[in-house]
Amino acid sequence: MGGRWSADQVLALAPDASSVKAGQKLATPTPWTGTGATDTLVWGLCKGSGKTPYQTIVDIGAPAYKCSCPSRKFPCKHALGLLLLWSQNEVPDAAEPADYAAAWRAGRADRATKKSAEPSAPKDPDRAAKTAAQRVERVRSGIDELQLWLTDQVGNGLAGAEIDAYRRFDAVAARLVDAQAPGLATRVRRLPALFSGVDSAAVDWPARLLEELGRLWSLSVAHQRLDELPDDLAATVRRHVGYPTAKADVLAADGIADTWLCVGRRDADEDGLLSRRIWLWGATSRRYGMVLDYAPTGATLPLRPVTGEAIATTMHFYPGTPRLRCVYDDTTPPSDAPSADPVGTLEPMTLTAARHVRARAIADDPWAQTWPVLVSVRLGRTDDATPALIDADTTAVPLTGLADRWPLLLALTGGAHVAVFGDLGPQGLDVASVLVDGTVIGL
């Protein structure tokens, strides 16, 4: 049978923290009977509160899940518990799946066959061009209204902007969604966070709000001059405004074949949509890539790669400048990396050098906020006791988005200088992983 997942890989599938705890409680043979596993399926019967045990099945290739329990979470605690049990080598291998597992697998295969057999209507180039032109006009109309609103905000002054901020900005964001400019809408919808008081910078909200309004204005003006911009910059503007880029078009461009090391990842849940950013480091190309995946809340994001894992594949980068977001061709999945250790190719730098790297990235993309960096630092605090990273030149940068990661970061570093990877932004560094003894450890 194929290699089993680790517990960390299994728990990465959990939709929330409560599911993690519930799944761990079921990761024992006691409630399970009739368990088994093949190269593609894991199944078992889990005793519940009723007389009939729950039938739980996991397709480890997709992954996909089926459980007869009434839970609306996906995967449910039974699927997580079964996978954890399997990862602990406590599920026996079997030549053939149980009848209910085989029936479910056959049903999935049948539906996939029917779907692939459905004829697809050929695309009409003239109609596609007309649709694209109509979208541009809708976006321009929405941007015209946005500019009027921005002018009013600055003309009337920012005093009182923090009062009922969500209602104040949501109406503008909703109009931009109607205008098919979701990227701009997301930027507007995030403005109330400036008043939330989640960090000390919230007291400076007037300056930060003015900066964000300025970015919105410059982005709207850039869209008005889209036809005059260089191709890369025009692609960057479209990306920030929210124009979609077909994955097929990205894959059609030349890619970069390399051994890619996953140096960090971060999940977020916003407006009912899960997102996962995975940062990769190319061992030979000496460059970063970022894979961005989305899924509805409750659905499952791709499992691989996990932090510290290396894969050998070709990454294709989205248009724009600088090129960071990428994707690999999932029709030819990545293979395990060669024996050479890509961790040794990582290049930690000082905080001053990292700021210069970020500055060059923002010079190419004025609407970018952060850039991935690897810095050699130790943990410390600023004069006002704010947690910070300090390099050998005593340059410091505040730590952002720490939450409950601060104690773990202290335990991993032990006060010594270590290589820390994260997203460097205007408010500080959001740490995603630490390099300890040749191992990348995610936070």
Side-chain angles (χ1 to χ4, degrees):
M1 157 146 204
R4 298 174 188 260
W5 298 347
S6 67
D8 287 342
Q9 288 175 308
V10 174
L11 294 177
L13 300 169
D16 51 44
S18 63
S19 296
V20 170
K21 294 180 180 179
Q24 289 172 330
K25 288 182 180 179
L26 292 174
T28 174
T30 304
W32 294 96
T33 58
T35 57
T38 65
D39 286 340
T40 57
L41 290 180
V42 182
W43 63 90
L45 301 174
C46 186
K47 183 179 179 181
S49 56
K51 293 182 179 180
T52 304
Y54 298 125
Q55 295 180 351
T56 307
I57 319 163
V58 180
D59 181 343
I60 56 178
Y65 320 92
K66 172 66 176 179
C67 186
S68 59
C69 75
S71 174
R72 294 184 178 181
K73 293 187 177 182
F74 192 78
C76 67
K77 63 181 182 181
H78 305 101
L80 289 171
L82 178 60
L83 282 174
L84 286 171
L85 197 67
W86 172 67
S87 73
Q88 298 162 187
N89 290 311
E90 295 188 63
V91 173
D93 294 346
E96 296 293 336
D99 290 345
Y100 63 90
W104 177 71
R105 181 180 63 181
R108 280 173 48 83
D110 184 55
R111 288 190 294 272
T113 301
K114 290 180 179 179
K115 185 175 180 180
S116 62
E118 292 176 356
S120 57
K123 292 184 178 180
D124 184 344
D126 293 336
R127 184 176 180 179
K130 183 178 180 180
T131 301
Q134 289 174 341
R135 174 167 189 155
V136 172
E137 288 306 313
R138 288 196 191 97
V139 174
R140 284 175 177 167
S141 175
I143 283 179
D144 288 343
E145 293 183 35
L146 174 65
Q147 287 186 329
L148 288 174
W149 179 79
L150 290 170
T151 301
D152 289 343
Q153 299 308 298
V154 177
N156 296 332
L158 302 181
E162 76 280 17
I163 300 174
D164 201 7
Y166 285 94
R167 179 176 297 178
R168 178 190 186 105
F169 295 116
D170 270 355
V172 181
R175 174 65 189 99
L176 289 168
V177 170
D178 292 340
Q180 294 185 285
L184 287 171
T186 298
R187 285 175 173 262
V188 173
R189 194 172 284 121
R190 288 174 178 169
L191 293 177
L194 300 177
F195 317 118
S196 64
V198 293
D199 54 52
S200 59
V203 299
D204 299 326
W205 69 258
R208 296 178 64 190
L209 177 58
L210 189 59
E211 289 177 3
E212 293 302 322
L213 297 180
R215 289 190 183 95
L216 284 167
W217 178 268
S218 64
L219 187 54
S220 66
V221 171
H223 186 273
Q224 289 176 324
R225 302 177 56 188
L226 205 56
D227 295 339
E228 306 171 28
L229 301 178
D231 290 345
D232 278 344
L233 184 56
T236 300
V237 172
R238 291 191 186 94
R239 170 167 52 84
H240 284 296
V241 170
Y243 287 85
T245 301
K247 182 179 177 180
D249 293 338
V250 178
L251 294 175
D254 293 337
I256 299 177
D258 206 338
T259 296
W260 297 92
L261 174 70
C262 178
V263 289
R265 70 180 190 178
R266 184 73 75 237
D267 293 354
D269 188 349
E270 187 174 21
D271 298 326
L273 192 66
L274 293 173
S275 66
R276 172 171 291 165
R277 289 180 294 164
I278 297 177
W279 291 278
L280 304 170
W281 168 257
T284 302
S285 58
R286 296 294 203 277
R287 63 171 296 164
Y288 287 109
M290 189 268 292
V291 177
L292 180 60
D293 290 308
Y294 292 102
T297 299
T300 302
L301 289 162
L303 180 65
R304 294 186 66 189
V306 296
T307 302
E309 180 183 9
I311 55 176
T313 189
T314 299
M315 303 303 301
H316 299 262
F317 286 77
Y318 280 72
T321 180
R323 301 201 173 195
L324 180 64
R325 186 183 175 187
C326 57
V327 66
Y328 63 81
D329 187 350
D330 50 17
T331 61
T332 55
S335 62
D336 292 336
S339 57
D341 183 11
V343 175
T345 68
L346 291 171
E347 302 170 340
M349 61 182 72
T350 65
L351 287 170
T352 299
R355 286 180 170 134
H356 288 164
V357 169
R358 176 179 175 267
R360 287 195 296 270
I362 293 178
D364 290 333
D365 180 0
W367 306 283
Q369 292 290 302
T370 61
W371 190 255
V373 295
L374 183 71
V375 291
S376 178
V377 292
R378 62 175 176 83
L379 268 63
R381 293 186 181 271
T382 59
D383 293 339
D384 61 356
T386 301
L389 297 173
I390 305 171
D391 66 10
D393 299 330
T394 66
T395 301
V397 63
L399 284 166
T400 62
L402 274 175
D404 56 353
R405 285 175 279 150
W406 176 247
L408 178 58
L409 198 55
L410 285 171
L412 288 172
T413 60
H417 271 78
V418 293
V420 172
F421 172 83
D423 236 7
L424 181 61
Q427 307 305 322
L429 184 71
D430 181 11
V431 178
S433 64
V434 179
L435 180 59
V436 179
D437 296 330
T439 302
V440 181
I441 302 174
L443 296 174

